[in-house]
Amino acid sequence: MTIRVMLVDDQVLLRTGFGMVLAAQPDMEVVAEAGDGVEALEKLRATAVDVVLMDVRMPKLDGVETTRRICAQPDPPKVLILTTFDLDEYAFSGLKAGASGFMLKDVPPGELLAAIRSVHSGDAVVAPSTTRRLLDRFAPMLPSGGGDPRQKELERLTEREREVMVLVAQGLSNGEIAARLVLSEATVKTHVGRILTKLGLRDRVQVVVLAYETGLVRAGGLG
């Protein structure tokens, strides 16, 4: 199955470079390119896309707002935010807007390709440990948890599901969670699925963001 990729970045050279890497893969095809968010939304209306590689700083419409609009559509493509360390706040905003993960712009080609395949297959968090570091860094910008109306939603979870949610938010994979809680990986996957359903979340990224915003997890560990 060919993964249809769209490149959205105002730097032509960067799009060209990524395009060459993707074109060499037998399971990937660049089906569209755009230099800003407005153009990206227009092309998405006429092109079937599986994964969007999205820059954050662009003219006309930035990557965060473009991501928000894409993810609000029915059956949207997955979005991978492209960022640099000094733009981490944009990556965090992108995750909140619905992106399935983020990558650094200078990522090695192999890691970029693995991330695209991972997101396409449904694994939302591309690099859990990196995601956690990012959220830890910006945790002081988040509410303390007590005033977040969604904190009450956590009461729908069983004690075990809350344990699993905390470990997901700390960046652990299903296998690592299984080892930590002495459960089978299949059981952990079931718990994660129930967490998503009960809280009305789309994927693991949203689990991470909600856990931080409600204070269930904070910088450095538990809330």
Side-chain angles (χ1 to χ4, degrees), residues 19-210:
M20 290 175 65
V21 172
L22 300 184
Q25 303 306 304
D27 61 338
M28 295 185 190
E29 178 186 5
V30 176
V31 295
E33 294 185 24
D36 59 67
V38 173
E39 184 182 3
L41 292 172
E42 289 176 353
K43 291 195 172 182
L44 275 175
R45 283 193 282 269
T47 310
V49 175
D50 298 312
V51 178
V52 178
L53 293 186
M54 180 75 69
D55 187 22
V56 284
R57 280 194 165 180
M58 298 182 294
K60 298 184 181 178
L61 193 66
D62 67 32
V64 173
E65 180 58 29
T66 304
T67 296
R68 185 175 292 110
R69 296 187 189 185
I70 289 174
C71 293
Q73 298 173 1
D75 194 24
K78 303 289 187 180
V79 178
L80 268 177
I81 295 288
L82 298 173
T83 185
T84 54
F85 277 126
D86 61 330
L87 292 178
D88 275 348
E89 63 271 26
Y90 290 96
F92 177 70
S93 298
L95 293 178
K96 289 189 66 176
S100 293
F102 66 94
M103 300 296 294
L104 299 176
K105 280 194 172 184
D106 60 356
V107 63
E111 289 185 24
L112 175 66
L113 296 172
I116 293 173
R117 293 186 180 104
S118 178
V119 165
H120 180 252
S121 68
D123 185 5
V125 181
V126 175
S129 59
T130 308
T131 300
R132 185 189 177 196
R133 284 199 299 272
L134 175 118
L135 290 170
D136 279 349
R137 176 176 170 184
F138 289 96
M141 298 165 54
L142 300 174
S144 62
D148 195 308
R150 292 180 301 172
Q151 189 176 38
K152 195 163 184 67
E153 296 178 17
L154 300 181
E155 295 176 5
R156 302 173 189 169
L157 304 179
T158 64
E159 184 176 348
R160 176 65 85 188
E161 287 165 353
R162 285 174 69 95
E163 284 183 296
V164 171
M165 184 172 178
V166 167
L167 296 176
V168 167
Q170 291 179 337
L172 274 66
S173 67
N174 285 353
E176 291 168 334
I177 294 172
R180 179 77 63 89
L181 299 180
V182 195
L183 299 170
S184 71
E185 195 165 339
T187 298
V188 172
K189 188 173 182 180
T190 297
H191 283 313
V192 172
R194 287 175 179 164
I195 291 168
L196 296 177
T197 300
K198 288 184 177 181
L199 300 180
L201 304 176
R202 188 192 66 247
D203 55 38
R204 293 171 75 100
V205 165
Q206 292 192 340
V207 171
V208 174
V209 173
L210 181 62

